Amino acid sequence: MDLNGRRVFEQQDKTAREKRAKAGRGQAGQRLRAIAVVLLTLAAGSPSGFAQQAGAGASGPDKAASDLPAAPAPVLTQPLNLRSSARDFSRPAGRLLGDPINMYRPTTIPKTSFANSVRLTDLVKDGKIYLSLSDAIALALENNYDIAIARYDLDIADTDILRTRTGASPLGAPSGLVTGTLGGSTSTLTAGGGPGGTSVGSGGAGSGTAGLSLTTQGAGPLPEALEPSVTAGLTFDRASSPSSSFFTGGTSTADTYNFAYNQGFVTGTAFQFTFDNSRATSTNTVTTYSPQDNASFKALVTQHLLYGAGIWVNKRFMYQAQNDRRITDSSFRQQIMYTVNQVESIYWGLVQAYEDVQAKQRAMEQSSKVASDNRKQLEIGTMAPLDVLNADQSVALDKESLISSQLALNYQQQIIKQAIARNLNDPALSAAAVIPTDRVSIEEIPEEKQPVEELVQEAFQQRPELEQAVLTLRNDEITLKGARNALLPQVDIFGYLSGQGVAGTLNPQLNCSFYGTAGCPPSSGGYGTAFNNAFNDSSPDKGFGFNITVPIGNRYAQSMQARSLMEYRQAELRLEQLYTQIRMQVVNQQFALTNDRAQVLASTAARDYNRQSLDDEQKKLRLGASTSALVLAQQRSVASAENNLIMAQATYAKDRAGLYQILASTLKHYGINLNEAATGDVKTTPLVPGLEPAKLGKEPSTTSPAAQ
């Protein structure tokens, strides 16, 4: 490097050193200014200022929480809206005035009844259950195990509200779906975890779901212990010790009666009051009083100024528990819609199996008649043996199809019974055939013609998943504010006041020469005197002070605050993703329903055409212009067309129910009373629109042709 280059390098290095030194002085100045602000505020004794600053800082990021466009807010349930039992578990069992003992008795939960509701018994007639879709839904609301399990979640969430009123963190309210009922189609709604179990909702401990982390729930300072407590310590001591000096030895008794009262407040204030008493006797010759009574008290008040200060910080778990309760309300509404949709899907599966057996029976009767006619013609010599064998083969194939269809119907009847009954051990019930009495009407529903954007907005307003996601986001905001408060140093101001009193009777063993010419002191009374002296300000002790804890580096709080903010951003993205997913579900379901209607109409036309063709072919056969083989082939076409129509109608019925579920309008369309569903006492029978009664016909048999 030449001389000019070295000079340039040295000048650049000098400039860089000056900049670093200036930056260091600036950082040191900032630290000094921050410390000065803290000390000045402490000197001014203005805890409210810190609380306001903390609150203002907490609300800043929330205003710019997301730059994504705001979608219509879902309808949120009110807290404590649903009750599964008469008792409100968000309130204590007893009261301080009136029934204090009940607060210390264990809670008893009655055992669940495993008997079927009377409604199911009334439907059994002549060994058969004639079941409408409305009755199936009502029975599911009363007997279904999934709904019965989910009912407990409402009371479980209430216990968290009661818990957080003491300042403790919530355990987490159950949410998600119970999916223990067999059968039915796969729901578009998110299911809970585990076989027939629920997942812990936001507010609980541990991991998250759907790609979300929920590990910082409850971050921030622990609230004060808001539930007051009284403690007592009683000690009775008797001692006899040998003398080792002029001041020791003799026998003594010491009884202590100490009491303490502790109470926290939502402002971040802790109050403690102690009241100590003792009574002692001694035979020692230097003890002035025997017995001697002592009484003292101390009242201590501590107030957080930064870390843990403010009403919001100390009540945040209560707010979170109320949000969790609303999540549970929403989850229960989701459970009702899910189970109702599942039962309806099972019902249409039963109708499909029922009509399929009827169609298979008709096909077998027709092929059996053709085979019988062919055999008669073979006997008189007008039919070839090969045609008889062809007809017999058709009968065998139809018999096989009928047996398979009967088995499917038998299984479908068991599926519907386990969905609407609680106890299948009754032989009369388990053996009873279920006869579906409703069929789907193909009349077009308004949702098929309604603009898709209107349906999307309706789903946005009613879907419980959106409601739960919004409430989860609110809980994440609570967590974020708590983590933000934990960044502050701990600065507490405290003040105390105490007093003490001593009284007693002059010890008869006292060596008065110990006091010199003054002589023995007089007796000063009993416990009443000691008590009065403790509170008459004759021996006061008062003062105030500060406790300051400043974590160097503050790494733990920084990591929790950063992580909670990341989880909050995740929840924002998840909410927006739900809006997109629901939009696509609505669009897809409306298109599917339109396509299903077209399929039903086409299948109806194909069935009518094949029936007419079969009738024409049978007329030709009677006139000698056709063959039995052509008649059997046309019968196959009729059976295939009927099967296609049955499947198309079942698909349309299931997809129509699925559209109501995607729009979260099932309860409204069917007239389901959610409060009755929460208690299991269904007085209002649901009324399902778009149905028509089944046409009169021969009830199919589940007994196989071989057994017959």
Side-chain angles (χ1 to χ4, degrees):
M1 182 181 296
D2 58 12
L3 182 60
N4 292 332
R6 187 180 297 111
R7 287 176 179 173
V8 171
F9 177 80
E10 291 175 351
Q11 183 64 32
Q12 292 175 346
D13 183 61
K14 180 181 179 182
T15 304
R17 288 196 304 270
E18 291 176 349
K19 288 183 178 179
R20 287 195 296 270
K22 184 178 180 181
R25 289 192 298 270
Q27 292 177 357
Q30 291 178 357
R31 294 191 186 99
L32 290 174
R33 285 193 294 272
I35 295 173
V37 169
V38 172
L39 294 177
L40 287 174
T41 309
L42 291 176
S46 175
S48 60
F50 287 105
Q52 291 172 1
Q53 291 175 13
S59 61
D62 299 334
K63 296 180 180 178
S66 176
D67 296 329
L68 295 172
V75 177
L76 298 178
T77 56
Q78 295 300 316
L80 315 180
N81 184 35
L82 300 174
R83 292 260 175 256
S84 60
S85 58
R87 177 178 167 185
D88 183 357
F89 285 91
S90 66
R91 301 182 181 277
R95 297 181 179 180
L96 186 60
L97 299 177
D99 189 13
I101 300 299
N102 204 34
M103 293 188 293
Y104 306 101
R105 293 190 179 121
T107 297
T108 57
I109 306 296
K111 189 175 181 179
T112 304
S113 172
F114 295 98
N116 297 315
S117 61
V118 179
R119 188 191 305 268
L120 180 58
T121 307
D122 293 342
L123 292 177
V124 180
K125 298 177 181 178
D126 300 328
K128 297 179 181 179
I129 302 174
Y130 292 90
L131 187 67
S132 68
L133 180 55
S134 296
D135 287 332
I137 293 174
L139 287 169
L141 296 177
E142 292 173 342
N143 298 323
N144 187 269
Y145 277 109
D146 287 353
I147 296 177
I149 293 172
R151 283 191 187 102
Y152 281 106
D153 293 343
L154 301 172
D155 289 337
I156 292 174
D158 279 343
T159 62
D160 246 7
I161 295 178
L162 181 62
R163 172 186 170 90
T164 55
R165 285 174 178 169
T166 68
S169 60
L171 296 176
S175 63
L177 297 176
V178 188
T179 57
T181 299
L182 302 176
S185 61
T186 303
S187 173
T188 58
L189 304 184
T190 305
T198 59
S199 58
V200 175
S202 59
S207 61
T209 57
L212 301 180
S213 297
L214 298 174
T215 55
T216 59
Q217 292 289 340
L222 288 177
E224 294 295 326
L226 303 179
E227 188 166 62
S229 63
V230 177
T231 59
L234 308 178
T235 304
F236 306 95
D237 181 71
R238 303 292 183 269
S240 178
S241 58
S243 175
S244 59
S245 69
F246 178 75
F247 298 97
T248 63
T251 61
S252 63
T253 65
D255 301 337
T256 59
Y257 312 89
N258 299 332
F259 304 91
Y261 176 85
N262 293 275
Q263 170 75 70
F265 299 92
V266 293
T267 54
T269 308
F271 173 72
Q272 183 183 50
F273 180 83
T274 58
F275 182 43
D276 297 337
N277 305 270
S278 65
R279 182 179 179 87
T281 64
S282 176
T283 60
N284 191 279
T285 58
V286 297
T287 302
T288 304
Y289 297 121
S290 180
Q292 177 176 304
D293 295 303
N294 296 275
S296 65
F297 79 92
K298 183 175 183 179
L300 173 65
V301 178
T302 304
Q303 172 65 54
H304 299 304
L305 300 180
L306 291 177
Y307 181 94
I311 295 176
W312 189 92
V313 170
N314 289 276
K315 291 186 69 174
R316 70 186 192 280
F317 288 157
M318 301 182 198
Y319 303 145
Q320 187 172 324
Q322 289 179 351
N323 286 338
D324 286 348
R325 178 57 161 88
R326 297 172 74 176
I327 289 175
T328 304
D329 282 348
S330 177
S331 178
F332 184 77
R333 181 167 65 95
Q334 182 182 1
Q335 179 72 56
I336 295 298
M337 289 191 295
Y338 175 85
T339 304
V340 167
N341 179 265
Q342 196 174 23
V343 169
E344 185 169 359
S345 181
I346 294 172
Y347 186 87
W348 294 125
L350 174 65
V351 171
Q352 180 180 353
Y354 186 88
E355 293 188 339
D356 187 62
V357 171
Q358 288 180 319
K360 295 297 192 296
Q361 284 181 337
R362 289 194 298 268
M364 183 177 173
E365 290 172 357
Q366 292 172 351
S367 61
S368 297
K369 185 176 184 306
V370 172
S372 177
D373 293 343
N374 287 356
R375 199 169 299 280
K376 291 178 181 179
Q377 294 185 35
L378 176 63
E379 292 175 356
I380 62 176
T382 59
M383 178 68 67
L386 185 61
D387 291 334
V388 175
L389 292 176
N390 185 28
D392 290 342
Q393 180 188 16
S394 296
V395 172
L397 291 175
D398 289 341
K399 184 179 295 186
E400 178 188 8
S401 297
L402 177 58
I403 292 173
S404 177
S405 182
Q406 286 173 331
L407 291 174
L409 175 59
N410 200 339
Y411 178 72
Q412 204 66 32
Q413 289 175 337
Q414 298 301 318
I415 287 292
I416 190 69
K417 280 189 280 190
Q418 63 89 32
I420 64 175
R422 190 164 291 191
N423 188 351
L424 295 178
N425 294 327
D426 184 0
L429 178 62
S430 59
V434 183
I435 311 298
T437 60
D438 284 332
R439 300 295 183 269
V440 65
S441 172
I442 307 300
E443 294 181 3
E444 195 172 35
I445 62 176
E447 285 78 7
E448 292 183 58
K449 296 180 179 179
Q450 193 171 349
V452 67
E453 189 60 33
E454 293 183 7
L455 294 179
V456 168
Q457 297 303 316
E458 181 180 347
F460 285 168
Q461 293 291 327
Q462 298 181 142
R463 282 288 287 268
E465 304 98 309
L466 284 176
E467 181 180 29
Q468 295 163 30
V470 170
L471 290 168
T472 300
L473 195 63
R474 291 183 182 179
N475 278 345
D476 288 343
E477 291 175 357
I478 293 174
T479 298
L480 185 57
K481 292 178 181 179
R484 228 183 262 125
N485 182 267
L487 288 168
L488 302 174
Q490 185 167 350
V491 180
D492 298 340
I493 184 173
F494 64 89
Y496 59 89
L497 172 65
S498 65
Q500 56 184 349
V502 178
T505 303
L506 188 64
N507 185 1
Q509 305 296 328
L510 179 63
N511 187 356
C512 293
S513 62
F514 180 77
Y515 288 91
T517 58
C520 290
S523 298
S524 58
Y527 175 75
T529 303
F531 179 86
N532 183 63
N533 291 338
F535 289 94
N536 64 4
D537 204 28
S538 60
S539 301
D541 182 11
K542 60 187 74 172
F544 74 97
F546 296 93
N547 290 322
I548 301 175
T549 303
V550 180
I552 305 301
N554 211 19
R555 288 170 291 185
Y556 177 81
Q558 288 183 18
S559 67
M560 291 296 290
Q561 189 272 332
R563 186 177 181 120
S564 64
L565 182 57
M566 294 174 191
E567 293 180 0
Y568 179 78
R569 297 304 185 204
Q570 276 188 330
E572 284 182 322
L573 292 174
R574 175 56 180 160
L575 178 59
E576 293 300 327
Q577 184 185 44
L578 276 175
Y579 281 114
T580 302
Q581 290 177 347
I582 289 173
R583 175 181 291 275
M584 296 307 300
Q585 289 173 0
V586 172
V587 172
N588 178 70
Q589 198 69 15
Q590 190 188 45
F591 289 170
L593 199 60
T594 303
N595 182 71
D596 292 343
R597 171 180 299 284
Q599 185 68 36
V600 170
L601 296 177
S603 298
T604 302
R607 181 204 59 183
D608 294 342
Y609 169 77
N610 282 281
R611 280 183 176 178
Q612 185 62 45
S613 298
L614 175 61
D615 185 62
D616 294 343
E617 203 66 40
Q618 288 174 336
K619 290 179 180 178
K620 291 179 183 179
L621 179 63
R622 287 194 292 269
L623 296 174
S626 183
T627 64
S628 61
L630 293 177
V631 172
L632 290 173
Q634 193 57 47
Q635 287 178 354
R636 291 278 177 273
S637 298
V638 171
S640 177
E642 288 183 339
N643 184 62
N644 290 338
L645 177 58
I646 292 170
M647 292 179 59
Q649 289 174 332
T651 301
Y652 173 79
K654 294 177 182 179
D655 283 347
R656 189 178 70 179
L659 179 60
Y660 289 151
Q661 188 189 20
I662 285 176
L663 297 176
S665 60
T666 304
L667 306 184
K668 178 181 67 176
H669 278 95
Y670 295 176
I672 296 175
N673 188 310
L674 194 58
N675 288 295
E676 292 181 0
T679 61
D681 184 14
V682 180
K683 297 183 175 65
T684 307
T685 302
L687 183 61
V688 182
L691 301 179
E692 58 186 26
K695 296 179 180 178
L696 296 177
K698 183 180 179 181
E699 292 182 1
S701 172
T702 56
T703 305
S704 66
Q708 291 176 356

